[in-house]
Amino acid sequence: MLGARNDFLSDNLKYKTGVIVASKKILLVEDNPVNRRLAVFLLRSQGYQVREAATAKEAFEMLEKEPADLIVMDIQLPGMDGLEATRKLKAQPATADIPVIAVTSYAMKGDREKALAAGCAGYVTKPIDKNTFIQEVAAHLGGKSKIGD
């Protein structure tokens, strides 16, 4: 029904003001429920589909079932850490081309370089600045953020 022009998400499509565009799928790997809730809120506010994993193992299981367009990866995870998980993702042909953004409270000199060396395409420090976070995500998905400065 064309009269219902409100935004809604259906399957893999975003309908907005009469235009249908594919909604990008993001896998968020974050063990802290508060941080995960914030990131999910910010990502969904931009129209992204978000799936959540609390561990690297859970993320790998989810990726086997359904690929993602982008992975937002916490570095400090229980079990396998985010850098090791990223190296493993980059070593597998099925996931090697998925960009990974590291999100971490590590902000010491050299930490960004370690994340990039592990295969991360981007790096965001905690506490998350909403503008920086959304702009980093949009940059790796070829879009523009809906959040203004």
Side-chain angles (χ1 to χ4, degrees):
M1 177 175 194
L2 290 177
R5 295 179 64 113
N6 293 336
D7 293 352
F8 68 90
L9 193 58
S10 174
D11 295 323
N12 196 20
L13 300 176
K14 177 86 174 171
Y15 177 90
K16 187 172 182 170
T17 61
V19 179
I20 296 177
V21 295
S23 179
K24 299 290 187 171
K25 297 177 192 173
I26 297 175
L27 176 58
L28 172 66
V29 188
E30 169 64 68
D31 63 313
N32 181 297
V34 174
N35 292 341
R36 194 167 55 239
R37 194 166 45 246
L38 172 63
V40 166
F41 173 79
L42 291 172
L43 294 168
R44 287 188 177 150
S45 77
Q46 300 299 296
Y48 298 119
Q49 292 183 47
V50 183
R51 291 181 299 140
E52 305 169 45
T55 66
K57 181 179 186 284
E58 194 177 319
F60 287 115
E61 290 168 358
M62 293 175 86
L63 287 167
E64 284 180 14
K65 295 175 186 162
E66 185 179 3
D69 297 303
L70 178 77
I71 299 168
V72 176
M73 178 81 70
D74 182 24
I75 298 304
Q76 294 177 284
L77 293 170
M80 182 186 301
D81 72 33
L83 294 182
E84 182 58 33
T86 299
R87 284 190 280 273
K88 189 173 176 182
L89 289 167
K90 295 303 174 180
Q92 297 178 5
T95 55
D97 293 333
I98 302 173
V100 177
I101 296 175
V103 180
T104 182
S105 57
Y106 293 154
M108 301 297 290
K109 184 177 172 100
D111 287 335
R112 179 182 184 87
E113 290 73 19
K114 287 178 190 172
L116 297 177
C120 294
Y123 181 87
V124 176
T125 58
K126 295 177 188 174
I128 292 175
D129 174 83
K130 70 178 184 179
N131 293 327
T132 302
F133 179 66
I134 292 302
Q135 288 169 359
E136 186 77 21
V137 168
H140 293 287
L141 289 175
K144 293 184 178 177
S145 73
K146 297 177 189 174
I147 294 178
D149 289 314

